[in-house]
Amino acid sequence: MTTLYIDGDACPVREEAYRVAERFGLEVFVVANGSRPIRPTGRPNVQLITVDAGADVADDWIADRMTATDVCVTSDIPLASRCLAKGGRALSPKGHHWTPDNIGSALAGRAVAEHLRATGINTGGPASLTKDDRSRFLSALDAAIQAARKPAPPKMMVPPGGF
């Protein structure tokens, strides 16, 4: 069964994700360290998980539970990479699908930006979320959930010595 994980502290599309998850009948875990209060949703399929403060504690909680049939919404590129490593799907709040083909360059770009910031260079922050971003996110989440729910194709067994 597919589960939706939301990296919750700064996720601007929680409400959109809740609606999509409800339509698909998915369980949702919104994981945060409580640095920004998140109001309870009143939705029976949504659980708010508050983890201890600390670097990557929420990410660890999600990555430890992620499976190949799950989807994670996150802006955190290292968390997206960890979700992909588990065979799951990850997408950003702007509707960008993280994949094994694009995650490496995203991690490299993040490392470069981190280095520039450490040397005092302002790399700017993320652009504000637009109406088009929200629309793209809804489409991307729908597609990710549908893909996650499809059974994996059967593996072809090759007999010893080939065919």
Side-chain angles (χ1 to χ4, degrees):
M1 171 138 199
T2 299
T3 299
L4 179 62
Y5 294 98
I6 300 175
D7 187 5
D9 279 322
C11 182
V13 290
R14 284 190 300 265
E15 288 298 325
E16 291 87 343
Y18 300 156
R19 288 194 308 271
V20 172
E22 192 168 7
R23 183 165 40 89
F24 280 102
L26 303 182
E27 186 171 21
V28 179
F29 290 97
V30 181
V31 186
N33 66 16
S35 63
R36 296 181 183 172
I38 299 172
R39 270 185 267 143
T41 68
R43 297 171 189 257
N45 65 318
V46 178
Q47 293 185 47
L48 302 179
I49 306 295
T50 302
V51 297
D52 292 333
D56 300 328
V57 177
D59 297 357
D60 292 344
W61 194 97
I62 293 170
D64 288 347
R65 288 158 180 81
M66 191 76 182
T67 72
T69 62
D70 297 333
V71 177
C72 179
V73 177
T74 184
S75 296
D76 186 290
I77 297 168
L79 174 56
S81 178
R82 293 172 70 185
C83 292
L84 294 175
K86 293 279 193 104
R89 286 159 177 77
L91 66 139
S92 77
K94 291 188 176 189
H96 177 78
H97 285 274
W98 299 111
T99 69
D101 291 336
N102 67 23
I103 198 70
S105 60
L107 286 165
R110 181 183 181 278
V112 168
E114 199 171 80
H115 173 74
L116 291 173
R117 284 190 299 275
T119 63
I121 296 173
N122 183 354
T123 60
S128 297
L129 203 66
T130 67
K131 194 180 238 187
D132 286 343
D133 292 330
R134 287 182 191 279
S135 177
R136 200 170 20 262
F137 169 76
L138 288 168
S139 294
L141 181 58
D142 194 90
I145 291 169
Q146 287 185 41
R149 294 177 81 173
K150 285 183 183 173
K155 293 184 179 181
M156 192 165 113
M157 300 300 290
V158 177
F163 287 101

